[in-house]
């Protein structure tokens, strides 16, 4: 392995250089998910796009593996590389809101929560995912499915332009009229084509939502009813339905804790009175065990917990799509959840449709526009010796619920990412992505991702 001269790097870069032995090294290499212990040769936090290009040049010069870090939420730790160079965008945090045009330029060191709070000061919003601490770079380039998706589309559907630093060090301004193939590829194709240093997003007027968490008992009829009502609701409503053991929270009765419940996260992007009417059939499914759904500001949808930095869950998971979630299939999933080997396990259901499905399948690198449901199955590990058992449970449970064509959402791919890349990017999407990869990264420098090799 090439030995880096850290002193020379500190002279070369105005941005922060963090190396083994430095204060802050362990924090700089830490990831959101547990089970990873990478020790990079160096972490460099550039101060501008020119320094981003210089970090990329350093990776080319040394031959060391390069990873790009925004929020550190990669399920398989792609954000940090053992023995290599971490290009950490943390210090790129500029943001500029144009209230009149309803747009924002945001640098990729910002989190979803940062941008959401900044634009909310003007009654505006851009939909990211469902977690405020994720970096906007990763979630945007992978697609972005979240609380506003059925009303305003995925995050990528609201990207107007971007600044991209390519493998050869060029700093490109891309949009529909400039480098259109690259602009197409970074909207869903992940970090395969360059380092996006800033995005321009279209914003929407969202002064208030009806949102929060509602907890119901978990029976097949209630889960099926929740999904049926949510899928048929006006597109202002987006929901995430988690079926899981009730966590030991103060507001949950002691006799309920540990038993299966439906933990629903709901967001109605419209007037409170209309939201209450739309949510009434869901509330009528059963007496809620807890109901925190109320008129709130959109940033309050991101439940950022205190002490989150100390929480590093280790799990095995599978992401998939389903065309139909009928009652017998839901009943089988609940039976498997009831008898699962892991104390903590979850089946998550996301009704899609609405604005997501109105975008042509070939308009971006996200090709699953017509799929009505996204499903994620996960099982938490108690230690490395439980991995094989939990992985098998996840695979068997996913097989029960999966129907329709194989598919995967790239931002949720876990250990199975390399094997399932073609499911994330089916058919013509894959072929076009490999051609764009050959043009902008023929040497596959950007390979710490769900990798798309260059054509040929």
């Amino acid at each position: 392995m090439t030995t880096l001269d850290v002193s020379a790097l500190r002279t070369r870069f105005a941005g922060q250089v963090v190396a083994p032995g430095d204060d802050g090294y362990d924090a700089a290499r830490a990831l959101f998910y547990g089970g990873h212990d990478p020790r990079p040769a160096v972490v460099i936090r550039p101060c501008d796009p020119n320094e981003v290009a210089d970090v990329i040049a350093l990776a080319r010069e040394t031959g060391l593996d390069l990873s790009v870090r925004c929020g550190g939420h990669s399920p398989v730790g792609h954000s940090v590389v053992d023995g290599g160079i971490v290009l950490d965008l943390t210090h790129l945090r500029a943001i500029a809101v144009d209230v009149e045009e309803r747009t924002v330029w945001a640098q990729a060191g910002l989190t979803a929560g940062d941008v959401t709070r900044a634009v909310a000061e003007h009654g505006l919003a851009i939909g990211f995912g469902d977690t405020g601490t994720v970096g906007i770079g990763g979630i945007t380039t992978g697609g972005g499915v979240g609380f506003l998706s059925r009303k305003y589309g995925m995050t990528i559907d609201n990207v107007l332009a971007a600044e991209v630093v390519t493998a050869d060090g060029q700093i490109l301004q891309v949009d529909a009229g400039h480098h259109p193939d690259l602009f197409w590829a970074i909207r869903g194709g992940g970090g395969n084509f360059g380092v996006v240093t800033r995005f321009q997003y279209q914003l929407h007027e969202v002064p208030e939502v009806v949102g929060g968490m509602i907890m119901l008992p978990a029976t097949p009829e209630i889960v099926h009813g929740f999904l049926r009502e949510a899928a048929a609701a006006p597109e202002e409503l987006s929901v995430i339905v988690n079926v899981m053991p009730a966590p030991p929270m103060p507001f949950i009765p002691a006799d309920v804790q540990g038993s299966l419940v439906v933990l629903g996260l709901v967001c109605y992007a419209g007037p409170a009175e209309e939201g209450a009417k739309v949510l009434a059939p869901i509330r009528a499914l059963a007496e809620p065990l807890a109901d925190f759904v109320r008129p709130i500001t959109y940033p309050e949808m991101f439940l950022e917990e205190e002490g989150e930095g100390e929480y590093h869950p280790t799990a095995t998971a599978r992401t998939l799509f389903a065309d139909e979630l009928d009652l017998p299939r839901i009943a089988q999933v609940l039976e498997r959840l009831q008898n699962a080997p892991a104390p903590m396990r979850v089946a998550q259901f996301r009704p899609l449709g609405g604005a997501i499905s109105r975008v042509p399948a070939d308009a971006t690198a996200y090709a699953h526009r017509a799929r009505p449901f996204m499903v994620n199955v996960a099982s938490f590990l108690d230690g490395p010796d439980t991995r094989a058992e939990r992985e098998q449970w996840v695979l068997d449970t996913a097989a029960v619920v999966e129907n329709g064509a194989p598919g995967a959402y790239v931002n949720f791919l876990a250990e199975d990412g390399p094997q399932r890349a073609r499911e994330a990017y089916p058919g013509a999407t894959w072929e076009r992505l490999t051609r764009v990869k050959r043009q902008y990264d023929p040497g596959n420098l950007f390979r710490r991702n769900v990798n798309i090799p260059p054509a040929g």
Side-chain angles (χ1 to χ4, degrees):
M1 187 180 74
T2 301
T3 301
L4 292 173
D5 183 340
V6 175
S7 297
L9 294 180
R10 297 192 203 281
T11 303
R12 177 172 174 175
F13 292 97
Q16 188 178 18
V17 175
V18 184
D22 289 348
D23 288 343
Y25 175 72
D26 285 340
R29 68 188 184 91
L31 294 160
F32 175 77
Y33 292 101
H36 311 285
D37 188 28
R39 300 194 65 85
V42 68
V43 178
I44 304 175
R45 293 171 173 148
C47 63
D48 59 34
N50 289 311
E51 283 209 336
V52 171
D54 204 10
V55 177
I56 292 170
L58 178 67
R60 290 199 312 268
E61 294 162 13
T62 60
L64 292 176
D65 282 344
L66 176 70
S67 66
V68 181
R69 178 185 182 120
C70 297
H73 277 252
S74 164
V76 286
H78 285 148
S79 318
V80 181
V81 59
D82 199 47
I85 300 167
V86 177
L87 197 174
D88 186 341
L89 299 171
T90 299
H91 289 175
L92 300 184
R93 297 184 54 79
I95 186 166
V97 183
D98 187 326
V99 177
E100 190 172 319
E101 294 294 323
R102 289 191 300 188
T103 62
V104 61
W105 276 103
Q107 284 192 313
L110 295 161
T111 65
D114 293 333
V115 177
T116 298
R117 288 187 293 270
V119 302
E121 293 178 9
H122 309 284
L124 301 171
I126 163 71
F128 290 106
D130 53 67
T131 305
T133 52
V134 300
I136 65 170
I139 193 165
T140 301
T141 56
V145 176
F147 294 127
L148 296 177
S149 295
R150 295 183 74 236
K151 176 63 175 174
Y152 295 117
M154 300 171 68
T155 310
I156 52 174
D157 302 328
N158 295 281
V159 175
L160 301 174
E163 180 178 75
V164 185
V165 186
T166 55
D168 60 2
Q170 293 187 77
I171 302 172
L172 302 179
Q173 308 301 319
V174 307
D175 57 31
H178 302 87
H179 308 284
D181 278 349
L182 180 59
F183 184 56
W184 173 85
I186 63 168
R187 289 177 296 148
N192 275 281
F193 311 96
V195 179
V196 183
T197 49
R198 64 175 185 153
F199 299 89
Q200 186 188 35
Y201 298 106
Q202 182 68 61
L203 302 174
H204 304 276
E205 289 189 23
V206 185
E208 188 179 72
V209 301
V210 179
M213 186 271 284
I214 184 169
M215 185 180 291
L216 303 172
T219 68
E221 292 76 17
I222 290 172
V223 176
H224 181 253
F226 201 140
L227 294 172
R228 182 189 63 237
E229 296 294 343
E235 60 193 36
E236 283 80 5
L237 182 67
S238 291
V239 309
I240 302 172
V241 178
N242 297 291
V243 186
M244 58 189 287
M249 292 180 170
F251 58 85
I252 301 174
D255 60 339
V256 174
Q257 294 177 16
S259 62
L260 284 187
V261 295
V262 179
L263 196 157
L265 299 173
V266 309
C267 180
Y268 182 85
E273 191 174 313
E274 292 177 14
K277 291 177 184 175
V278 170
L279 290 167
I282 293 173
R283 285 186 162 120
L285 291 168
E287 181 69 28
L289 299 167
D291 188 348
F292 297 105
V293 179
R294 66 197 194 286
I296 56 175
T297 63
Y298 182 62
E300 292 177 83
M301 286 301 305
F302 292 133
L303 307 172
E304 295 184 32
E305 300 174 10
E306 290 183 27
E308 187 182 75
E310 286 74 53
Y311 177 60
H312 299 287
T314 304
T316 181
R318 189 169 176 89
T319 180
L320 54 103
F321 292 97
D323 288 347
E324 186 178 353
L325 292 175
D326 55 21
L327 186 59
R329 190 173 275 114
I330 294 293
Q332 288 184 68
V333 172
L334 261 66
E335 184 178 357
R336 292 194 58 79
L337 284 165
Q338 193 69 57
N339 300 310
M344 182 53 69
R345 62 277 186 193
V346 60
Q348 180 187 88
F349 305 95
R350 297 176 183 239
L352 302 176
I356 300 172
S357 61
R358 288 198 296 275
V359 177
D362 61 354
T364 67
Y366 175 85
H368 307 286
R369 298 289 180 172
R371 305 307 294 271
F373 297 100
M374 181 185 292
V375 184
N376 298 292
V377 180
S379 176
F380 289 70
L381 308 185
D382 301 324
D385 56 329
T386 63
R387 176 172 289 278
E389 172 192 65
R390 309 291 161 82
E391 284 180 347
Q392 193 60 53
W393 180 86
V394 165
L395 287 172
D396 293 344
T397 306
V400 167
V401 72
E402 188 169 18
N403 61 89
Y409 173 50
V410 71
N411 276 347
F412 290 160
L413 279 174
E415 302 93 339
D416 54 354
Q419 293 78 39
R420 301 185 67 208
R422 296 293 291 270
E423 293 181 20
Y425 304 115
T429 301
W430 177 265
E431 301 305 327
R432 185 175 176 185
L433 285 168
T434 63
R435 293 194 299 271
V436 179
K437 179 75 167 181
R438 182 174 61 193
Q439 181 178 354
Y440 289 98
D441 184 19
N444 204 12
L445 180 73
F446 302 114
R447 55 186 178 271
R448 289 281 298 173
N449 44 46
V450 176
N451 195 235
I452 299 164

